PDB file of all heavy atoms in Angstrom:
ATOM      1  N   ALA V   1      11.399   2.673  -0.224  1.00 93.00           N
ATOM      2  CA  ALA V   1      10.048   2.261  -0.608  1.00 93.00           C
ATOM      3  C   ALA V   1       9.053   2.726   0.450  1.00 93.00           C
ATOM      4  O   ALA V   1       9.398   2.954   1.606  1.00 93.00           O
ATOM      5  CB  ALA V   1       9.979   0.748  -0.777  1.00 93.00           C
ATOM      6  N   GLY V   2       7.795   2.882   0.033  1.00 87.00           N
ATOM      7  CA  GLY V   2       6.730   3.223   0.960  1.00 87.00           C
ATOM      8  C   GLY V   2       6.046   1.972   1.473  1.00 87.00           C
ATOM      9  O   GLY V   2       6.252   0.876   0.933  1.00 87.00           O
ATOM     10  N   SER V   3       5.304   2.104   2.579  1.00 89.00           N
ATOM     11  CA  SER V   3       4.944   3.385   3.179  1.00 89.00           C
ATOM     12  C   SER V   3       5.944   3.803   4.254  1.00 89.00           C
ATOM     13  O   SER V   3       6.710   2.991   4.753  1.00 89.00           O
ATOM     14  CB  SER V   3       3.556   3.298   3.804  1.00 89.00           C
ATOM     15  OG  SER V   3       3.547   2.456   4.935  1.00 89.00           O
ATOM     16  N   GLY V   4       5.872   5.107   4.583  1.00 86.00           N
ATOM     17  CA  GLY V   4       6.840   5.673   5.499  1.00 86.00           C
ATOM     18  C   GLY V   4       6.800   5.089   6.896  1.00 86.00           C
ATOM     19  O   GLY V   4       7.804   5.119   7.616  1.00 86.00           O
ATOM     20  N   MET V   5       5.631   4.563   7.323  1.00 90.00           N
ATOM     21  CA  MET V   5       5.517   3.961   8.649  1.00 90.00           C
ATOM     22  C   MET V   5       5.383   2.446   8.573  1.00 90.00           C
ATOM     23  O   MET V   5       5.010   1.795   9.550  1.00 90.00           O
ATOM     24  CB  MET V   5       4.328   4.560   9.412  1.00 90.00           C
ATOM     25  CG  MET V   5       4.483   6.025   9.751  1.00 90.00           C
ATOM     26  SD  MET V   5       3.181   6.617  10.852  1.00 90.00           S
ATOM     27  CE  MET V   5       3.485   8.387  10.802  1.00 90.00           C
ATOM     28  N   CYS V   6       5.666   1.890   7.397  1.00 87.00           N
ATOM     29  CA  CYS V   6       5.643   0.433   7.184  1.00 87.00           C
ATOM     30  C   CYS V   6       4.260  -0.160   7.452  1.00 87.00           C
ATOM     31  O   CYS V   6       4.135  -1.253   8.022  1.00 87.00           O
ATOM     32  CB  CYS V   6       6.680  -0.258   8.072  1.00 87.00           C
ATOM     33  SG  CYS V   6       8.334   0.439   7.984  1.00 87.00           S
ATOM     34  N   THR V   7       3.226   0.533   7.035  1.00 90.00           N
ATOM     35  CA  THR V   7       1.861   0.051   7.234  1.00 90.00           C
ATOM     36  C   THR V   7       1.259  -0.518   5.954  1.00 90.00           C
ATOM     37  O   THR V   7       0.091  -0.892   5.933  1.00 90.00           O
ATOM     38  CB  THR V   7       0.956   1.189   7.753  1.00 90.00           C
ATOM     39  OG1 THR V   7       1.071   2.314   6.864  1.00 90.00           O
ATOM     40  CG2 THR V   7       1.364   1.616   9.151  1.00 90.00           C
ATOM     41  N   GLY V   8       2.018  -0.586   4.905  1.00 89.00           N
ATOM     42  CA  GLY V   8       1.548  -1.111   3.631  1.00 89.00           C
ATOM     43  C   GLY V   8       2.607  -0.835   2.579  1.00 89.00           C
ATOM     44  O   GLY V   8       3.709  -0.379   2.886  1.00 89.00           O
ATOM     45  N   GLY V   9       2.272  -1.127   1.336  1.00 89.00           N
ATOM     46  CA  GLY V   9       3.190  -0.815   0.248  1.00 89.00           C
ATOM     47  C   GLY V   9       4.311  -1.827   0.103  1.00 89.00           C
ATOM     48  O   GLY V   9       4.370  -2.855   0.771  1.00 89.00           O
ATOM     49  N   ARG V  10       5.252  -1.503  -0.770  1.00 92.00           N
ATOM     50  CA  ARG V  10       6.312  -2.443  -1.146  1.00 92.00           C
ATOM     51  C   ARG V  10       7.344  -2.651  -0.046  1.00 92.00           C
ATOM     52  O   ARG V  10       8.019  -3.675  -0.023  1.00 92.00           O
ATOM     53  CB  ARG V  10       6.987  -1.966  -2.433  1.00 92.00           C
ATOM     54  CG  ARG V  10       6.052  -2.032  -3.640  1.00 92.00           C
ATOM     55  CD  ARG V  10       6.762  -1.617  -4.920  1.00 92.00           C
ATOM     56  NE  ARG V  10       5.887  -1.774  -6.077  1.00 92.00           N
ATOM     57  CZ  ARG V  10       6.248  -1.501  -7.328  1.00 92.00           C
ATOM     58  NH1 ARG V  10       7.487  -1.068  -7.576  1.00 92.00           N
ATOM     59  NH2 ARG V  10       5.399  -1.659  -8.328  1.00 92.00           N
ATOM     60  N   ILE V  11       7.492  -1.691   0.861  1.00 92.00           N
ATOM     61  CA  ILE V  11       8.482  -1.872   1.921  1.00 92.00           C
ATOM     62  C   ILE V  11       8.162  -3.110   2.755  1.00 92.00           C
ATOM     63  O   ILE V  11       9.068  -3.771   3.284  1.00 92.00           O
ATOM     64  CB  ILE V  11       8.556  -0.614   2.828  1.00 92.00           C
ATOM     65  CG1 ILE V  11       9.822  -0.654   3.699  1.00 92.00           C
ATOM     66  CG2 ILE V  11       7.315  -0.476   3.691  1.00 92.00           C
ATOM     67  CD1 ILE V  11      11.118  -0.574   2.953  1.00 92.00           C
ATOM     68  N   MET V  12       6.874  -3.451   2.854  1.00 92.00           N
ATOM     69  CA  MET V  12       6.473  -4.615   3.652  1.00 92.00           C
ATOM     70  C   MET V  12       7.106  -5.896   3.102  1.00 92.00           C
ATOM     71  O   MET V  12       7.576  -6.746   3.860  1.00 92.00           O
ATOM     72  CB  MET V  12       4.959  -4.747   3.665  1.00 92.00           C
ATOM     73  CG  MET V  12       4.216  -3.534   4.191  1.00 92.00           C
ATOM     74  SD  MET V  12       4.207  -3.488   5.973  1.00 92.00           S
ATOM     75  CE  MET V  12       3.051  -4.804   6.339  1.00 92.00           C
ATOM     76  N   HIS V  13       7.116  -6.031   1.782  1.00 93.00           N
ATOM     77  CA  HIS V  13       7.690  -7.232   1.163  1.00 93.00           C
ATOM     78  C   HIS V  13       9.199  -7.283   1.397  1.00 93.00           C
ATOM     79  O   HIS V  13       9.753  -8.346   1.679  1.00 93.00           O
ATOM     80  CB  HIS V  13       7.386  -7.250  -0.338  1.00 93.00           C
ATOM     81  CG  HIS V  13       5.927  -7.350  -0.642  1.00 93.00           C
ATOM     82  ND1 HIS V  13       5.268  -8.560  -0.727  1.00 93.00           N
ATOM     83  CD2 HIS V  13       4.985  -6.389  -0.865  1.00 93.00           C
ATOM     84  CE1 HIS V  13       3.985  -8.343  -0.993  1.00 93.00           C
ATOM     85  NE2 HIS V  13       3.795  -7.038  -1.086  1.00 93.00           N
ATOM     86  N   HIS V  14       9.860  -6.134   1.288  1.00 94.00           N
ATOM     87  CA  HIS V  14      11.308  -6.123   1.499  1.00 94.00           C
ATOM     88  C   HIS V  14      11.645  -6.442   2.953  1.00 94.00           C
ATOM     89  O   HIS V  14      12.611  -7.169   3.219  1.00 94.00           O
ATOM     90  CB  HIS V  14      11.875  -4.766   1.088  1.00 94.00           C
ATOM     91  CG  HIS V  14      11.657  -4.455  -0.353  1.00 94.00           C
ATOM     92  ND1 HIS V  14      12.023  -5.320  -1.369  1.00 94.00           N
ATOM     93  CD2 HIS V  14      11.095  -3.388  -0.967  1.00 94.00           C
ATOM     94  CE1 HIS V  14      11.705  -4.796  -2.544  1.00 94.00           C
ATOM     95  NE2 HIS V  14      11.141  -3.618  -2.320  1.00 94.00           N
ATOM     96  N   LEU V  15      10.869  -5.915   3.885  1.00 94.00           N
ATOM     97  CA  LEU V  15      11.108  -6.225   5.295  1.00 94.00           C
ATOM     98  C   LEU V  15      10.910  -7.710   5.563  1.00 94.00           C
ATOM     99  O   LEU V  15      11.687  -8.329   6.295  1.00 94.00           O
ATOM    100  CB  LEU V  15      10.174  -5.389   6.179  1.00 94.00           C
ATOM    101  CG  LEU V  15      10.465  -3.883   6.229  1.00 94.00           C
ATOM    102  CD1 LEU V  15       9.324  -3.147   6.916  1.00 94.00           C
ATOM    103  CD2 LEU V  15      11.795  -3.603   6.931  1.00 94.00           C
ATOM    104  N   LYS V  16       9.873  -8.278   4.955  1.00 93.00           N
ATOM    105  CA  LYS V  16       9.618  -9.706   5.159  1.00 93.00           C
ATOM    106  C   LYS V  16      10.803 -10.547   4.685  1.00 93.00           C
ATOM    107  O   LYS V  16      11.167 -11.548   5.319  1.00 93.00           O
ATOM    108  CB  LYS V  16       8.338 -10.121   4.429  1.00 93.00           C
ATOM    109  CG  LYS V  16       8.006 -11.599   4.597  1.00 93.00           C
ATOM    110  CD  LYS V  16       6.679 -11.958   3.944  1.00 93.00           C
ATOM    111  CE  LYS V  16       6.383 -13.446   4.109  1.00 93.00           C
ATOM    112  NZ  LYS V  16       5.091 -13.830   3.494  1.00 93.00           N
ATOM    113  N   HIS V  17      11.435 -10.146   3.584  1.00 91.00           N
ATOM    114  CA  HIS V  17      12.517 -10.941   3.010  1.00 91.00           C
ATOM    115  C   HIS V  17      13.884 -10.633   3.620  1.00 91.00           C
ATOM    116  O   HIS V  17      14.816 -11.432   3.480  1.00 91.00           O
ATOM    117  CB  HIS V  17      12.596 -10.713   1.496  1.00 91.00           C
ATOM    118  CG  HIS V  17      11.541 -11.452   0.731  1.00 91.00           C
ATOM    119  ND1 HIS V  17      10.281 -10.932   0.515  1.00 91.00           N
ATOM    120  CD2 HIS V  17      11.552 -12.682   0.160  1.00 91.00           C
ATOM    121  CE1 HIS V  17       9.554 -11.812  -0.179  1.00 91.00           C
ATOM    122  NE2 HIS V  17      10.301 -12.867  -0.409  1.00 91.00           N
ATOM    123  N   LYS V  18      14.014  -9.475   4.305  1.00 91.00           N
ATOM    124  CA  LYS V  18      15.357  -9.073   4.709  1.00 91.00           C
ATOM    125  C   LYS V  18      15.526  -8.778   6.193  1.00 91.00           C
ATOM    126  O   LYS V  18      16.660  -8.661   6.673  1.00 91.00           O
ATOM    127  CB  LYS V  18      15.795  -7.841   3.891  1.00 91.00           C
ATOM    128  CG  LYS V  18      15.796  -8.117   2.387  1.00 91.00           C
ATOM    129  CD  LYS V  18      16.431  -7.027   1.597  1.00 91.00           C
ATOM    130  CE  LYS V  18      16.303  -7.257   0.091  1.00 91.00           C
ATOM    131  NZ  LYS V  18      16.924  -8.528  -0.360  1.00 91.00           N
ATOM    132  N   LEU V  19      14.442  -8.676   6.954  1.00 90.00           N
ATOM    133  CA  LEU V  19      14.562  -8.361   8.379  1.00 90.00           C
ATOM    134  C   LEU V  19      15.296  -9.435   9.160  1.00 90.00           C
ATOM    135  O   LEU V  19      15.929  -9.149  10.186  1.00 90.00           O
ATOM    136  CB  LEU V  19      13.172  -8.171   9.007  1.00 90.00           C
ATOM    137  CG  LEU V  19      12.590  -6.766   9.113  1.00 90.00           C
ATOM    138  CD1 LEU V  19      11.258  -6.821   9.830  1.00 90.00           C
ATOM    139  CD2 LEU V  19      13.549  -5.810   9.825  1.00 90.00           C
ATOM    140  N   TRP V  20      15.204 -10.671   8.729  1.00 92.00           N
ATOM    141  CA  TRP V  20      15.725 -11.800   9.494  1.00 92.00           C
ATOM    142  C   TRP V  20      17.247 -11.913   9.436  1.00 92.00           C
ATOM    143  O   TRP V  20      17.861 -12.652  10.200  1.00 92.00           O
ATOM    144  CB  TRP V  20      15.119 -13.111   8.985  1.00 92.00           C
ATOM    145  CG  TRP V  20      15.362 -13.321   7.514  1.00 92.00           C
ATOM    146  CD1 TRP V  20      14.550 -12.926   6.490  1.00 92.00           C
ATOM    147  CD2 TRP V  20      16.515 -13.921   6.915  1.00 92.00           C
ATOM    148  NE1 TRP V  20      15.118 -13.257   5.288  1.00 92.00           N
ATOM    149  CE2 TRP V  20      16.329 -13.867   5.517  1.00 92.00           C
ATOM    150  CE3 TRP V  20      17.673 -14.510   7.427  1.00 92.00           C
ATOM    151  CZ2 TRP V  20      17.257 -14.359   4.623  1.00 92.00           C
ATOM    152  CZ3 TRP V  20      18.611 -15.010   6.526  1.00 92.00           C
ATOM    153  CH2 TRP V  20      18.390 -14.938   5.143  1.00 92.00           C
ATOM    154  N   SER V  21      17.884 -11.153   8.541  1.00 89.00           N
ATOM    155  CA  SER V  21      19.328 -11.287   8.352  1.00 89.00           C
ATOM    156  C   SER V  21      20.097 -10.173   9.055  1.00 89.00           C
ATOM    157  O   SER V  21      19.805  -8.990   8.865  1.00 89.00           O
ATOM    158  CB  SER V  21      19.671 -11.267   6.862  1.00 89.00           C
ATOM    159  OG  SER V  21      21.074 -11.259   6.680  1.00 89.00           O
ATOM    160  N   LYS V  22      21.091 -10.551   9.824  1.00 90.00           N
ATOM    161  CA  LYS V  22      21.894  -9.590  10.585  1.00 90.00           C
ATOM    162  C   LYS V  22      22.707  -8.656   9.689  1.00 90.00           C
ATOM    163  O   LYS V  22      23.134  -7.586  10.129  1.00 90.00           O
ATOM    164  CB  LYS V  22      22.856 -10.333  11.525  1.00 90.00           C
ATOM    165  CG  LYS V  22      22.179 -11.081  12.650  1.00 90.00           C
ATOM    166  CD  LYS V  22      23.209 -11.802  13.519  1.00 90.00           C
ATOM    167  CE  LYS V  22      22.526 -12.558  14.655  1.00 90.00           C
ATOM    168  NZ  LYS V  22      23.516 -13.310  15.489  1.00 90.00           N
ATOM    169  N   LYS V  23      22.931  -9.047   8.450  1.00 90.00           N
ATOM    170  CA  LYS V  23      23.780  -8.215   7.596  1.00 90.00           C
ATOM    171  C   LYS V  23      23.005  -7.066   6.951  1.00 90.00           C
ATOM    172  O   LYS V  23      23.617  -6.185   6.348  1.00 90.00           O
ATOM    173  CB  LYS V  23      24.439  -9.074   6.510  1.00 90.00           C
ATOM    174  CG  LYS V  23      23.496  -9.571   5.431  1.00 90.00           C
ATOM    175  CD  LYS V  23      24.280 -10.332   4.365  1.00 90.00           C
ATOM    176  CE  LYS V  23      23.385 -10.736   3.205  1.00 90.00           C
ATOM    177  NZ  LYS V  23      24.146 -11.400   2.123  1.00 90.00           N
ATOM    178  N   ASN V  24      21.685  -7.064   7.105  1.00 92.00           N
ATOM    179  CA  ASN V  24      20.877  -5.995   6.522  1.00 92.00           C
ATOM    180  C   ASN V  24      20.626  -4.875   7.530  1.00 92.00           C
ATOM    181  O   ASN V  24      20.769  -5.063   8.740  1.00 92.00           O
ATOM    182  CB  ASN V  24      19.550  -6.550   5.996  1.00 92.00           C
ATOM    183  CG  ASN V  24      19.763  -7.475   4.815  1.00 92.00           C
ATOM    184  OD1 ASN V  24      20.634  -7.237   3.974  1.00 92.00           O
ATOM    185  ND2 ASN V  24      18.983  -8.550   4.739  1.00 92.00           N
ATOM    186  N   HIS V  25      20.239  -3.720   7.003  1.00 92.00           N
ATOM    187  CA  HIS V  25      20.015  -2.536   7.834  1.00 92.00           C
ATOM    188  C   HIS V  25      18.684  -1.898   7.458  1.00 92.00           C
ATOM    189  O   HIS V  25      18.305  -1.870   6.279  1.00 92.00           O
ATOM    190  CB  HIS V  25      21.128  -1.509   7.612  1.00 92.00           C
ATOM    191  CG  HIS V  25      22.502  -2.033   7.914  1.00 92.00           C
ATOM    192  ND1 HIS V  25      23.182  -1.730   9.060  1.00 92.00           N
ATOM    193  CD2 HIS V  25      23.322  -2.859   7.207  1.00 92.00           C
ATOM    194  CE1 HIS V  25      24.354  -2.334   9.058  1.00 92.00           C
ATOM    195  NE2 HIS V  25      24.465  -3.030   7.935  1.00 92.00           N
ATOM    196  N   VAL V  26      17.989  -1.373   8.453  1.00 93.00           N
ATOM    197  CA  VAL V  26      16.775  -0.596   8.228  1.00 93.00           C
ATOM    198  C   VAL V  26      17.027   0.792   8.819  1.00 93.00           C
ATOM    199  O   VAL V  26      17.366   0.918   9.997  1.00 93.00           O
ATOM    200  CB  VAL V  26      15.538  -1.227   8.890  1.00 93.00           C
ATOM    201  CG1 VAL V  26      14.299  -0.379   8.626  1.00 93.00           C
ATOM    202  CG2 VAL V  26      15.335  -2.651   8.378  1.00 93.00           C
ATOM    203  N   VAL V  27      16.876   1.822   7.994  1.00 90.00           N
ATOM    204  CA  VAL V  27      17.117   3.191   8.441  1.00 90.00           C
ATOM    205  C   VAL V  27      15.771   3.919   8.494  1.00 90.00           C
ATOM    206  O   VAL V  27      15.111   4.107   7.462  1.00 90.00           O
ATOM    207  CB  VAL V  27      18.095   3.925   7.500  1.00 90.00           C
ATOM    208  CG1 VAL V  27      18.366   5.344   8.011  1.00 90.00           C
ATOM    209  CG2 VAL V  27      19.404   3.148   7.385  1.00 90.00           C
ATOM    210  N   ILE V  28      15.364   4.286   9.701  1.00 89.00           N
ATOM    211  CA  ILE V  28      14.082   4.958   9.917  1.00 89.00           C
ATOM    212  C   ILE V  28      14.318   6.464   9.872  1.00 89.00           C
ATOM    213  O   ILE V  28      15.077   7.007  10.685  1.00 89.00           O
ATOM    214  CB  ILE V  28      13.465   4.555  11.275  1.00 89.00           C
ATOM    215  CG1 ILE V  28      13.289   3.035  11.362  1.00 89.00           C
ATOM    216  CG2 ILE V  28      12.147   5.281  11.498  1.00 89.00           C
ATOM    217  CD1 ILE V  28      12.252   2.447  10.445  1.00 89.00           C
ATOM    218  N   VAL V  29      13.670   7.158   8.928  1.00 86.00           N
ATOM    219  CA  VAL V  29      13.950   8.588   8.720  1.00 86.00           C
ATOM    220  C   VAL V  29      12.695   9.445   8.903  1.00 86.00           C
ATOM    221  O   VAL V  29      12.601  10.532   8.355  1.00 86.00           O
ATOM    222  CB  VAL V  29      14.556   8.835   7.320  1.00 86.00           C
ATOM    223  CG1 VAL V  29      15.932   8.227   7.206  1.00 86.00           C
ATOM    224  CG2 VAL V  29      13.637   8.301   6.219  1.00 86.00           C
ATOM    225  N   GLY V  30      11.743   8.953   9.685  1.00 80.00           N
ATOM    226  CA  GLY V  30      10.534   9.735   9.923  1.00 80.00           C
ATOM    227  C   GLY V  30       9.820   9.255  11.168  1.00 80.00           C
ATOM    228  O   GLY V  30      10.120   8.176  11.700  1.00 80.00           O
ATOM    229  N   TYR V  31       8.908  10.068  11.630  1.00 80.00           N
ATOM    230  CA  TYR V  31       8.140   9.735  12.832  1.00 80.00           C
ATOM    231  C   TYR V  31       7.338   8.454  12.598  1.00 80.00           C
ATOM    232  O   TYR V  31       6.758   8.255  11.522  1.00 80.00           O
ATOM    233  CB  TYR V  31       7.194  10.892  13.158  1.00 80.00           C
ATOM    234  CG  TYR V  31       6.251  10.584  14.295  1.00 80.00           C
ATOM    235  CD1 TYR V  31       6.701  10.565  15.608  1.00 80.00           C
ATOM    236  CD2 TYR V  31       4.913  10.289  14.046  1.00 80.00           C
ATOM    237  CE1 TYR V  31       5.845  10.275  16.654  1.00 80.00           C
ATOM    238  CE2 TYR V  31       4.042  10.002  15.081  1.00 80.00           C
ATOM    239  CZ  TYR V  31       4.519   9.991  16.390  1.00 80.00           C
ATOM    240  OH  TYR V  31       3.667   9.693  17.412  1.00 80.00           O
ATOM    241  N   GLN V  32       7.302   7.594  13.606  1.00 83.00           N
ATOM    242  CA  GLN V  32       6.567   6.327  13.523  1.00 83.00           C
ATOM    243  C   GLN V  32       5.488   6.320  14.612  1.00 83.00           C
ATOM    244  O   GLN V  32       5.802   6.319  15.808  1.00 83.00           O
ATOM    245  CB  GLN V  32       7.518   5.145  13.730  1.00 83.00           C
ATOM    246  CG  GLN V  32       8.690   5.124  12.766  1.00 83.00           C
ATOM    247  CD  GLN V  32       8.279   4.926  11.329  1.00 83.00           C
ATOM    248  OE1 GLN V  32       7.482   4.053  11.007  1.00 83.00           O
ATOM    249  NE2 GLN V  32       8.819   5.760  10.446  1.00 83.00           N
ATOM    250  N   ALA V  33       4.241   6.328  14.196  1.00 81.00           N
ATOM    251  CA  ALA V  33       3.129   6.394  15.146  1.00 81.00           C
ATOM    252  C   ALA V  33       2.973   5.075  15.888  1.00 81.00           C
ATOM    253  O   ALA V  33       3.313   4.004  15.377  1.00 81.00           O
ATOM    254  CB  ALA V  33       1.829   6.744  14.410  1.00 81.00           C
ATOM    255  N   ILE V  34       2.447   5.168  17.115  1.00 83.00           N
ATOM    256  CA  ILE V  34       2.136   3.971  17.898  1.00 83.00           C
ATOM    257  C   ILE V  34       1.157   3.099  17.115  1.00 83.00           C
ATOM    258  O   ILE V  34       0.215   3.586  16.492  1.00 83.00           O
ATOM    259  CB  ILE V  34       1.529   4.370  19.263  1.00 83.00           C
ATOM    260  CG1 ILE V  34       2.618   4.966  20.157  1.00 83.00           C
ATOM    261  CG2 ILE V  34       0.899   3.167  19.958  1.00 83.00           C
ATOM    262  CD1 ILE V  34       2.107   5.465  21.484  1.00 83.00           C
ATOM    263  N   GLY V  35       1.402   1.799  17.128  1.00 86.00           N
ATOM    264  CA  GLY V  35       0.528   0.863  16.433  1.00 86.00           C
ATOM    265  C   GLY V  35       0.988   0.509  15.042  1.00 86.00           C
ATOM    266  O   GLY V  35       0.383  -0.345  14.383  1.00 86.00           O
ATOM    267  N   THR V  36       2.060   1.144  14.567  1.00 90.00           N
ATOM    268  CA  THR V  36       2.560   0.835  13.227  1.00 90.00           C
ATOM    269  C   THR V  36       3.732  -0.143  13.319  1.00 90.00           C
ATOM    270  O   THR V  36       4.406  -0.243  14.352  1.00 90.00           O
ATOM    271  CB  THR V  36       3.036   2.107  12.498  1.00 90.00           C
ATOM    272  OG1 THR V  36       4.158   2.675  13.218  1.00 90.00           O
ATOM    273  CG2 THR V  36       1.923   3.131  12.406  1.00 90.00           C
ATOM    274  N   LEU V  37       3.986  -0.837  12.220  1.00 91.00           N
ATOM    275  CA  LEU V  37       5.131  -1.730  12.154  1.00 91.00           C
ATOM    276  C   LEU V  37       6.423  -0.952  12.339  1.00 91.00           C
ATOM    277  O   LEU V  37       7.360  -1.414  13.006  1.00 91.00           O
ATOM    278  CB  LEU V  37       5.137  -2.482  10.819  1.00 91.00           C
ATOM    279  CG  LEU V  37       6.351  -3.362  10.519  1.00 91.00           C
ATOM    280  CD1 LEU V  37       6.547  -4.418  11.601  1.00 91.00           C
ATOM    281  CD2 LEU V  37       6.211  -4.007   9.144  1.00 91.00           C
ATOM    282  N   GLY V  38       6.469   0.252  11.757  1.00 87.00           N
ATOM    283  CA  GLY V  38       7.660   1.077  11.914  1.00 87.00           C
ATOM    284  C   GLY V  38       7.962   1.370  13.371  1.00 87.00           C
ATOM    285  O   GLY V  38       9.131   1.355  13.788  1.00 87.00           O
ATOM    286  N   ARG V  39       6.918   1.620  14.172  1.00 92.00           N
ATOM    287  CA  ARG V  39       7.124   1.902  15.589  1.00 92.00           C
ATOM    288  C   ARG V  39       7.651   0.658  16.317  1.00 92.00           C
ATOM    289  O   ARG V  39       8.505   0.757  17.214  1.00 92.00           O
ATOM    290  CB  ARG V  39       5.817   2.384  16.221  1.00 92.00           C
ATOM    291  CG  ARG V  39       5.938   2.767  17.691  1.00 92.00           C
ATOM    292  CD  ARG V  39       6.975   3.885  17.922  1.00 92.00           C
ATOM    293  NE  ARG V  39       6.913   4.369  19.282  1.00 92.00           N
ATOM    294  CZ  ARG V  39       6.229   5.447  19.666  1.00 92.00           C
ATOM    295  NH1 ARG V  39       5.548   6.160  18.770  1.00 92.00           N
ATOM    296  NH2 ARG V  39       6.216   5.817  20.921  1.00 92.00           N
TER     297      ARG V  39
END
């Protein structure tokens, strides 16, 4: 899901619901600028 740097879009909702669990994984496949959630 977008956005690629986690600055908006549907990925934000999935991160909110799944970041807290150790069994989940986040795979970063692009450059993440300073100041972004992805960074």
Side-chain angles (χ1 to χ4, degrees):
S3 69
M5 294 188 190
C6 309
T7 53
R10 293 183 176 181
I11 195 65
M12 302 280 287
H13 296 273
H14 299 308
L15 290 169
K16 180 176 179 180
H17 283 86
K18 301 190 185 301
L19 266 183
W20 57 269
S21 174
K22 292 179 180 178
K23 71 176 185 176
N24 293 323
H25 302 257
V26 180
V27 182
I28 303 292
V29 293
Y31 174 74
Q32 304 295 313
I34 288 176
T36 64
L37 174 58
R39 183 59 171 264

